Amino acid sequence: MGESKLAGQFFDAAIGLLEKVRDEEAASVAAAGAAIAEAVASGGRLFAFGAGHSSLAAQDVVYRAGGLALMNLLAVPGAVGVDVMPATLGSALERVDGLAGAVLDSSPARAGDVLVIISLSGRNALPVEMAMNARALGLTVIGVTSVAYATETRSRHVSGTYLKDHCDIVLDSKIAVGDAELTHEAIEAPFAPASTVVTSALMQAMTAAAVEELVRRGVEPPLLRSGNVDGGHEWNGRVMTEYGDRVFYRH
């Protein structure tokens, strides 16, 4: 069989979006990296949150070889992935008022910490209230979202606002409303979403910016190494010992 035309078109679309966010979001990525570096250097903690498929990019930076050991997943039970049964319950939980506040209040998050909130649409109650409550607690909030949704959809939060309206720093993923890059004349539904590719790239770019800023400050970045390379476990053990009071995904 020859090459797939549609597969090639998806790669082209994803590469185009990556180039767009690289060029247009550079200042925001740098600002997000600086905020993370400040928290690391000053004793703060790092958290990432996303619901549904947005949680994929959050999980991608938690307990990750080549990632910051201090990045913790702020999990909302039933909303982290598609493992909840039925899967539609996760989507329903994103629209429940008050859930974000309850999760934050029972979490270790406190003033001076950084919370990265990922929500493609930014229109549901859960990410909006998460950002509002986190800022009220004194956290620095970084939002990773598609700003286009704020002009082309209606907010599902009682305030009529979106995630982007309650963040200290916003990274725009530039994903079009509907999150599907391809169409075909034989099918009515568009397909091939690129939000995970682009959002994960923004998260890793943000991490790279934080590492760069920490090095500039003369602070060793608390990075994890792969357990599949020689010396990795020993390296990680040292990092975990040094920063253990700021790591919440192990007991």
Side-chain angles (χ1 to χ4, degrees), residues 35-177:
I36 289 171
E38 172 62 26
V40 171
S42 63
R45 292 86 60 79
L46 309 175
F47 298 90
F49 162 76
H53 288 93
S54 289
S55 74
L56 294 172
Q59 294 179 64
D60 191 46
V61 294
V62 176
Y63 187 51
R64 184 66 188 263
L68 292 168
L70 275 61
M71 187 62 80
N72 300 276
L73 184 68
L74 185 65
V76 175
V80 174
V82 294
D83 57 332
V84 62
M85 293 291 286
T88 49
L89 176 60
S91 298
L93 289 172
E94 290 186 59
R95 305 176 191 182
V96 174
D97 295 330
L99 183 56
V103 169
L104 267 176
D105 289 345
S106 60
S107 79
R110 66 188 184 195
D113 294 347
V114 169
L115 172 60
V116 183
I117 300 177
I118 304 165
S119 174
L120 181 62
S121 72
R123 68 190 293 229
N124 289 311
L126 189 53
V128 171
E129 290 184 358
M130 189 71 79
M132 293 173 73
N133 281 273
R135 288 181 94 185
L137 288 172
L139 278 77
T140 297
V141 176
I142 300 168
V144 186
T145 186
S146 171
V147 172
Y149 276 82
T151 57
E152 298 181 38
T153 67
R154 296 182 65 177
S155 170
R156 291 193 177 115
H157 187 252
V158 64
S159 67
T161 60
Y162 296 77
L163 169 61
K164 73 173 185 65
D165 300 317
H166 305 284
C167 298
D168 297 287
I169 302 163
V170 175
L171 275 61
D172 184 1
S173 64
K174 316 287 184 180
I175 300 294
V177 173

Side-chain angles (χ1 to χ4, degrees), residues 169-235:
I169 302 163
V170 175
L171 275 61
D172 184 1
S173 64
K174 316 287 184 180
I175 300 294
V177 173
D179 189 20
E181 294 300 318
L182 302 181
T183 57
H184 191 284
E185 66 269 9
I187 358 173
E188 291 188 25
F191 52 99
S195 60
T196 304
V197 174
V198 176
T199 303
S200 289
L202 281 168
M203 296 294 287
Q204 296 298 344
M206 185 193 317
T207 301
V211 167
E212 184 176 13
E213 176 62 16
L214 286 167
V215 170
R216 190 190 68 78
R217 292 175 175 224
V219 177
E220 181 186 359
L223 293 165
L224 295 174
R225 300 187 72 169
S226 171
N228 296 316
V229 299
D230 292 341
H233 285 298
E234 291 77 13
W235 172 283

Side-chain angles (χ1 to χ4, degrees), residues 40 43-47 68-72 108 110 222 224 235-251:
V40 171
R45 292 86 60 79
L46 309 175
F47 298 90
L68 292 168
L70 275 61
M71 187 62 80
N72 300 276
R110 66 188 184 195
L224 295 174
W235 172 283
N236 292 342
R238 177 181 65 81
V239 173
M240 289 295 189
T241 298
E242 185 174 349
Y243 291 94
D245 60 335
R246 294 194 263 170
V247 175
F248 303 106
Y249 49 80
R250 62 182 211 137
H251 298 289

